[in-house]
């Protein structure tokens, strides 16, 4: 789908007085990201890479109490944490958009590919995946599945004031969520993470800084949205569906500093075609002009941190 058409449809749905969430979901099922959802196995491979980084930072996933910020439509990352040996989990979302049918479809898919699942987690060094996957066999519905996984789903829930007990979480986690949240809210989410995290715990957030419209429209690059001024982007984007804050790597560094986070690892993914485009005269909006090309072209960050006072 042409990215401008998709943006216009999202803006229209966001203005509906009621039923906008259901309409947006149907749009995604018909022609968006949920028409052919990303394979859980592909996400598991990335998850195990992140889990290795978490373990290197001193907080193994096995036996950990995990809080996920931003559940979304499915629970792929909570399933990955479960298969890697997490003890218990809470997954929260500001909006209750989880689709139980999609979750159960994913589980059935995984059970039918058990050998592939075990291979992925064995490469990470995990030994619990096979036994834990077998426990999911026979889960009758979403609630039964959560009970077997020791997973609690809370939505609506404000990630800046969760109501979860202090120092009760070992891993405070999100996956491609922060890019959809305004800057001022991100600072408060990280501060709440500091309150929640245990003495030996860790905050781990994987952030996708690319233009998400490029995921569905290959005709535009991963920094296409940087050509628009803030005023222009406000007319294109909308705060309800698909909102993108367009924050760059340097902005996130400042957010972590302001939130009182001590960074233990900061893993960047730089898109080289975007670097080349900038150096060849890509028309940047005034607010992005003069910024280092590699900072602007950083399209992925995995940030591992602890509260600076620990």
């Amino acid at each position: 789908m042409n990215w401008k058409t998709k943006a216009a449809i999202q803006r229209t749905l966001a203005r509906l007085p009621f039923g906008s969430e259901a309409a947006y979901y149907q749009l995604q099922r018909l022609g968006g990201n949920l028409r052919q959802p990303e394979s859980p196995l592909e996400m598991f491979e990335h998850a195990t890479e992140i889990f290795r980084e978490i373990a290197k930072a001193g907080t193994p996933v096995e036996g950990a109490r995990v809080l996920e910020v931003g559940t979304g439509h499915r629970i792929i990352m909570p399933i990955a944490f479960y298969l890697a040996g997490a003890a218990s989990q809470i997954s929260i979302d500001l909006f209750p958009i989880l689709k139980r049918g999609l979750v159960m479809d994913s589980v059935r898919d995984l059970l039918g590919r058990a050998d592939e699942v075990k291979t992925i987690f064995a490469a990470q060094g995990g030994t619990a995946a096979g036994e834990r996957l077998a426990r999911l066999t026979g889960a009758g519905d979403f609630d039964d599945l959560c009970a077997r996984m020791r997973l609690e789903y809370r939505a609506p829930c404000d990630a800046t004031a969760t109501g979860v007990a202090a120092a009760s979480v070992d891993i405070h986690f999100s996956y491609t969520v922060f890019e959809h949240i305004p800057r001022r809210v991100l600072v408060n989410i990280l501060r709440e993470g500091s309150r929640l995290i245990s003495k030996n715990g860790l905050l781990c957030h994987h952030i996708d800084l690319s233009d998400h419209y490029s995921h569905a429209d290959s005709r535009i690059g991963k920094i296409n949205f940087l050509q628009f001024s803030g005023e222009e982007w406000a007319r294109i984007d909308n705060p309800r569906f698909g909102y993108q804050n367009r924050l760059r790597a340097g902005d996130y560094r400042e957010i972590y500093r302001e939130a009182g986070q001590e960074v233990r690892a900061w893993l960047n993914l730089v898109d080289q075609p975007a670097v080349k485009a900038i150096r060849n005269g890509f028309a940047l909006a005034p607010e992005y002009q003069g910024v280092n090309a590699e900072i602007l072209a950083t399209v992925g960050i995995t940030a591992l941190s602890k509260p600076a006072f620990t």
Side-chain angles (χ1 to χ4, degrees):
M1 180 183 292
N2 180 282
W3 76 272
K4 291 183 179 179
T5 301
K6 181 175 181 179
I9 292 171
Q10 288 176 331
R11 289 197 308 276
T12 300
L13 292 177
R15 289 195 292 266
L16 292 177
F18 58 88
S20 58
E21 168 55 40
Y24 184 57
Y25 172 68
Q26 289 303 320
L27 173 68
Q28 289 184 304
R29 290 291 281 170
L30 289 172
N33 294 336
L34 295 178
R35 181 168 58 90
Q36 292 182 317
E38 186 177 357
S39 166
L41 295 185
E42 293 176 10
M43 294 182 71
F44 282 179
E45 289 176 351
H46 193 202
T48 57
E49 293 174 7
I50 294 173
F51 295 168
R52 283 194 288 271
E53 295 297 332
I54 293 173
K56 281 167 57 178
T59 307
V61 171
E62 188 169 358
R65 300 162 297 175
V66 181
L67 185 140
E68 179 191 38
V69 174
T71 311
H73 289 102
R74 301 188 291 170
I75 56 167
I76 301 305
M77 285 298 162
I79 292 175
F81 271 105
Y82 166 75
L83 294 176
S88 63
Q89 298 183 71
I90 301 171
S91 185
I92 66 173
D93 212 330
L94 186 59
F95 300 104
I97 63 172
L98 182 136
K99 303 301 179 186
R100 287 161 171 77
L102 286 181
V103 172
M104 299 311 292
D105 286 347
S106 295
V107 171
R108 283 188 287 271
D109 177 45
L110 294 172
L111 291 172
R113 304 165 74 178
D115 288 343
E116 294 175 76
V117 173
K118 288 185 282 188
T119 297
I120 290 171
F121 284 90
Q124 179 227 353
T127 58
E131 178 186 346
R132 288 194 162 210
L133 188 62
R135 288 184 207 166
L136 303 185
T137 304
D141 56 23
F142 178 74
D143 291 335
D144 185 11
L145 179 73
C146 288
R148 295 176 186 227
M149 292 174 55
R150 296 194 65 194
L151 168 66
E152 179 183 354
Y153 171 56
R154 297 187 184 185
C157 182
D158 183 352
T160 69
T162 61
V164 175
S168 65
V169 169
D170 301 310
I171 300 172
H172 185 268
F173 180 82
S174 72
Y175 188 80
T176 63
V177 171
F178 275 22
E179 66 269 20
H180 301 298
I181 300 174
R183 184 193 189 285
R184 65 186 182 279
V185 180
L186 289 173
V187 172
N188 290 330
I189 288 174
L190 291 171
R191 287 175 175 165
E192 173 71 348
S194 294
R195 186 188 71 82
L196 295 173
I197 211 73
S198 64
K199 180 179 178 181
N200 296 315
L202 188 74
L203 287 80
C204 177
H205 297 282
H206 177 73
I207 312 163
D208 183 350
L209 285 68
S210 69
D211 183 335
H212 285 21
Y213 289 122
S214 71
H215 300 178
D217 189 344
S218 60
R219 291 166 292 187
I220 62 174
K222 293 183 178 180
I223 61 163
N224 181 69
F225 56 7
L226 299 187
Q227 67 183 290
F228 302 102
S229 69
E231 183 178 344
E232 290 170 329
W233 187 246
R235 292 197 294 267
I236 294 170
D237 205 16
N238 76 88
R240 179 65 183 89
F241 298 119
Y243 167 76
Q244 300 174 66
N245 59 34
R246 299 195 302 165
L247 296 170
R248 311 320 298 156
D251 299 314
Y252 282 103
R253 282 281 193 180
E254 178 60 22
I255 286 168
Y256 271 71
R257 186 205 63 75
E258 185 177 340
Q261 291 293 310
E262 178 185 318
V263 173
R264 296 299 178 93
W266 191 272
L267 310 175
N268 286 337
L269 174 63
V270 178
D271 184 61
Q272 292 303 325
V275 173
K276 184 177 179 180
I278 293 168
R279 290 175 176 167
N280 287 338
F282 179 80
L284 293 165
E287 51 259 58
Y288 299 108
Q289 292 175 11
V291 180
N292 177 275
E294 293 207 351
I295 291 176
L296 291 177
T298 296
V299 295
I301 295 170
T302 301
L304 284 73
S305 66
K306 288 178 176 286
F309 52 79
T310 60

